[in-house]
């Protein structure tokens, strides 16, 4: 026995440590009795039997020691029983949880810190004890407390690749904007370690917070009049409302603000790859894949007759403007589909097409030239109509205005040749 309240017999220390580690109550009782070891003596001058039992999450031994006078408040250089339990390598989460609850009920403080300012929550997050993390948070653990390196609990969870705990901490309000002493955020640590799933969680948390703060008003996605349709001709903003509608239909309206700010048109959206989506704020890989797969389906889909006009139907002027703008929309999207196909083909290298498919492909290429020419004609026509379709008082209409407008209207039959 040592006169400093501990014992340093290496053989006895080894036997007692092994007995506590394996949870053998009979052996522990026998060793303590044979060597006359006090329940609060320190093994090798460091841990007491109780603190050692906590580090191995030996619940039954912890209860036994407490019932026989063990001091639950004992700490080794401020490393206490709750910290020992939370840093345990025990894989039984329910057992860890029982030990944590036992110690809290004994009066151990939730937010106590060791010399490095590490809290029980940080230890639990680092060791992957999700049930302990839940319990500590429920009991009032400080989620954003930082240690001497500037790390909070989420830093430890990220560094040890505990995705489930990162998710739990984020959902519980943990900040992802804190910087450690080296100026790093948790996102940088996740990306450095190649932890894409965790990086996605962090980016989603940052994105949702930003949208909550900046994007509170819903996006108007419907075209309410023919004048709205004309204003969205390609030379103006290339159907930005359609791009936002595309996101809305995929339940991804959270990206409406960055798309709007970056002036992402329908045409741009239909030609985007993963890199383009990242640059426009779509940081979650699952969302990028959803958009890309939907774009592919869009290009491959067979279009139905959705122009809304029957052959021979008489059109009023406003109906005609809407009809014309809708045709422009179709031609514009078809041109983007052609570019999409070309882009996808180029990804596969200089591929030689099957002889049976070659004439079909060449024929379609010829038609694409026609589509491009027609698209340009529609653009010019729509732009000119919009310019000269403003309401004017009769005494202000001059011959030049009428001449230009009639000349534009005379072009229309050429755009719709009879069969």
């Amino acid at each position: 026995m040592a006169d400093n309240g501990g014992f340093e017999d290496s053989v006895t220390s080894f036997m007692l440590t092994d007995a506590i580690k394996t949870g053998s109550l009979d052996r522990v009782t026998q060793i303590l009795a044979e060597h006359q070891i006090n329940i609060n003596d320190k093994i090798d001058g460091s841990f007491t039997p109780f603190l050692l039992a906590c580090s191995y999450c030996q619940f039954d031994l912890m209860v036994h020691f407490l019932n026989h006078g063990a001091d639950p408040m004992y700490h080794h250089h401020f490393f206490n029983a709750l910290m020992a339990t939370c840093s345990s390598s025990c894989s039984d989460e329910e057992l860890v949880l029982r030990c944590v609850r036992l110690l809290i009920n004994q009066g151990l403080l939730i937010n106590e810190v060791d010399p490095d300012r590490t809290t029980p929550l940080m230890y639990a997050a680092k060791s992957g004890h999700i049930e302990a993390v839940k319990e500590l948070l429920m009991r009032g653990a400080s989620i954003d407390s930082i240690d001497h390196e500037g790390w909070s609990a989420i830093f430890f969870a990220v560094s040890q690749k505990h995705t489930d705990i990162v998710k739990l901490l984020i959902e519980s309000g943990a900040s992802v904007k804190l910087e450690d002493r080296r100026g790093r955020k948790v996102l940088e640590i996740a990306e450095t370690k190649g932890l894409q799933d965790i990086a996605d969680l962090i980016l989603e948390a940052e994105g949702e917070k930003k949208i909550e703060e900046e994007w509170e008003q819903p996006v108007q996605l419907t075209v309410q009049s023919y004048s709205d349709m004309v204003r969205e001709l390609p030379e103006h903003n290339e159907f930005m409302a359609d791009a936002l509608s595309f996101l809305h239909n995929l339940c991804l309206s959270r990206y409406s603000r960055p798309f709007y700010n970056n002036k992402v048109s329908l045409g741009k959206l239909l030609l985007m790859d993963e890199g383009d989506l990242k640059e426009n704020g779509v940081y979650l890989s699952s969302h990028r894949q959803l958009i890309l797969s939907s774009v592919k389906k869009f290009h491959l889909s067979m279009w139905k007759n959705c122009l809304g006009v029957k052959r021979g139907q008489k059109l009023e002027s406003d109906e005609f403007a809407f009809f014309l703008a809708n045709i422009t929309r179709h031609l514009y999207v078809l041109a983007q589909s052609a570019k999409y196909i070309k882009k996808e083909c180029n990804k596969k290298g200089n591929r030689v097409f099957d002889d049976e498919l070659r004439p079909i492909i060449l024929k379609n290429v010829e038609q694409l030239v026609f589509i491009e020419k027609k698209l340009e004609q529609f653009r010019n026509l729509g732009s000119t109509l919009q310019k000269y379709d403003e309401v004017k008082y009769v005494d202000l209409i001059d011959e030049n205005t009428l001449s230009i407008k009639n000349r534009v209207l005379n072009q229309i039959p050429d755009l719709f040749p009879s069969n």
Side-chain angles (χ1 to χ4, degrees):
M1 296 291 295
D3 58 5
N4 62 354
F7 61 92
E8 298 177 356
D9 184 335
S10 60
V11 176
T12 305
S13 298
F14 174 79
M15 290 192 301
L16 182 56
T17 300
D18 184 65
I20 293 174
K21 181 178 180 179
T22 57
S24 177
L25 179 58
D26 292 339
R27 284 187 61 205
V28 168
T29 304
Q30 180 184 0
I31 294 170
L32 292 176
E34 287 182 357
H35 296 273
Q36 298 181 351
I37 301 172
N38 185 281
I39 199 71
N40 287 314
D41 281 345
K42 292 173 281 188
I43 305 173
D44 290 331
S46 57
F47 283 23
T48 62
F50 176 73
L51 187 56
L52 192 60
C54 292
S55 68
Y56 291 116
C57 286
Q58 294 294 351
F59 181 81
D60 293 338
L61 282 180
M62 290 167 62
V63 173
H64 174 79
F65 290 147
L66 288 171
N67 289 338
H68 287 79
D71 179 10
M73 300 300 174
Y74 171 78
H75 57 82
H76 178 61
H77 300 313
F78 298 98
F79 182 79
N80 64 23
L82 186 56
M83 296 172 188
T85 297
C86 290
S87 62
S88 169
S89 60
C90 178
S91 59
D92 188 336
E93 291 302 306
E94 289 301 321
L95 181 58
V96 175
L97 177 60
R98 290 177 65 196
C99 294
V100 167
R101 287 175 175 171
L102 174 66
L103 294 171
I104 293 175
N105 292 337
Q106 289 294 318
L108 275 84
L109 299 178
I110 299 291
N111 293 312
E112 195 69 63
V113 297
D114 66 9
D116 292 329
R117 302 197 59 78
T118 312
T119 65
L121 180 63
M122 295 176 195
Y123 278 116
K126 180 179 180 180
S127 301
H129 297 315
I130 188 168
E131 295 302 325
V133 171
K134 290 178 183 178
E135 184 72 14
L136 291 169
L137 290 173
M138 184 184 71
R139 302 263 191 160
S142 178
I143 197 168
D144 286 330
S145 291
I146 58 174
D147 69 357
H148 72 298
E149 290 291 338
W151 280 32
S152 62
I154 195 171
F155 277 84
F156 288 97
V158 170
S159 68
Q160 296 301 313
K161 309 176 184 180
H162 298 311
T163 306
D164 53 349
I165 294 182
V166 173
K167 186 174 186 294
L168 171 62
L169 290 171
I170 288 175
E171 291 174 348
S172 300
S175 174
V176 295
K177 295 184 177 181
L178 295 176
E179 293 185 0
D180 65 11
R181 290 181 61 184
R182 288 191 265 177
R184 298 176 303 173
K185 295 182 179 180
V186 285
L187 177 59
E188 181 180 345
I189 294 174
E191 291 178 337
T192 300
K193 290 178 174 286
L195 308 176
Q196 188 59 50
D197 290 345
I198 291 179
D200 286 346
L201 287 173
I202 297 169
L203 287 166
E204 183 177 18
E206 289 181 339
E208 287 180 351
K209 185 175 182 62
K210 184 176 180 181
I211 289 173
E212 287 176 3
E213 295 173 350
E214 300 180 3
W215 189 240
E216 298 179 355
Q217 299 299 322
V219 182
Q220 178 59 262
L221 299 174
T222 56
V223 178
Q224 297 182 346
S225 68
Y226 78 92
S227 59
D228 292 332
M229 177 78 86
V230 171
R231 274 199 300 271
E232 290 185 358
L233 287 174
E235 72 169 337
H236 292 277
N237 61 27
E238 300 186 333
F239 310 121
M240 284 181 62
D242 282 338
L244 301 181
S245 181
F246 194 99
L247 294 176
H248 177 77
N249 291 334
L250 295 177
C251 299
L252 296 178
S253 294
R254 65 177 64 185
Y255 301 116
S256 296
R257 170 61 71 180
F259 270 53
Y260 181 83
N261 288 342
N262 295 335
K263 293 181 170 54
V264 175
S265 65
L266 178 63
K268 290 181 180 178
L269 175 59
L270 293 177
L271 294 177
M272 280 184 169
D273 55 24
E274 281 214 57
D276 297 325
L277 291 173
K278 282 184 180 179
E279 290 178 3
N280 286 279
V282 187
Y283 296 119
L284 284 178
S285 58
S286 58
H287 289 172
R288 293 196 298 271
Q289 292 306 313
L290 175 59
I291 293 175
L292 292 176
S293 63
S294 299
V295 164
K296 183 177 181 180
K297 290 178 182 178
F298 184 93
H299 286 299
L300 294 176
S301 64
M302 296 296 292
W303 285 30
K304 297 181 180 179
N305 181 14
C306 54
L307 297 179
V309 179
K310 296 179 181 179
R311 184 180 294 274
Q313 178 180 345
K314 185 177 179 180
L315 298 175
E316 301 296 334
S317 60
D318 58 342
E319 293 174 331
F320 181 82
F322 188 93
F323 178 44
L324 188 60
N326 205 14
I327 293 174
T328 307
R329 183 186 299 263
H330 279 63
L331 290 175
Y332 176 79
V333 172
L334 287 172
Q336 299 308 109
S337 292
K339 293 176 184 177
Y340 176 84
I341 294 170
K342 180 180 178 181
K343 182 179 177 182
E344 291 300 308
C345 288
N346 287 339
K347 285 182 180 179
K348 300 172 184 178
N350 297 324
R351 177 182 166 191
V352 178
F353 291 100
D354 186 272
D355 290 339
E356 184 178 348
L357 294 176
R358 183 179 295 277
I360 299 175
I361 294 171
L362 291 176
K363 184 176 180 180
N364 280 279
V365 170
E366 293 175 1
Q367 292 298 315
L368 287 177
V369 176
F370 167 77
I371 290 175
E372 288 284 1
K373 291 180 179 179
K374 288 296 180 183
L375 181 59
E376 186 61 31
Q377 287 179 281
F378 279 119
R379 282 175 173 169
N380 295 335
L381 177 61
S383 177
T384 309
L385 280 174
Q386 185 183 20
K387 182 176 180 180
Y388 291 99
D389 200 27
E390 298 174 356
V391 176
K392 294 183 179 181
Y393 293 105
V394 175
D395 58 348
L396 296 179
I397 298 177
D398 53 28
E399 293 184 3
N400 185 52
T401 300
L402 290 175
S403 175
I404 294 176
K405 187 167 185 179
N406 289 332
R407 204 161 57 241
V408 171
L409 293 175
N410 287 334
Q411 297 176 21
I412 294 175
D414 295 333
L415 294 174
F416 302 95
S418 57
N419 293 333

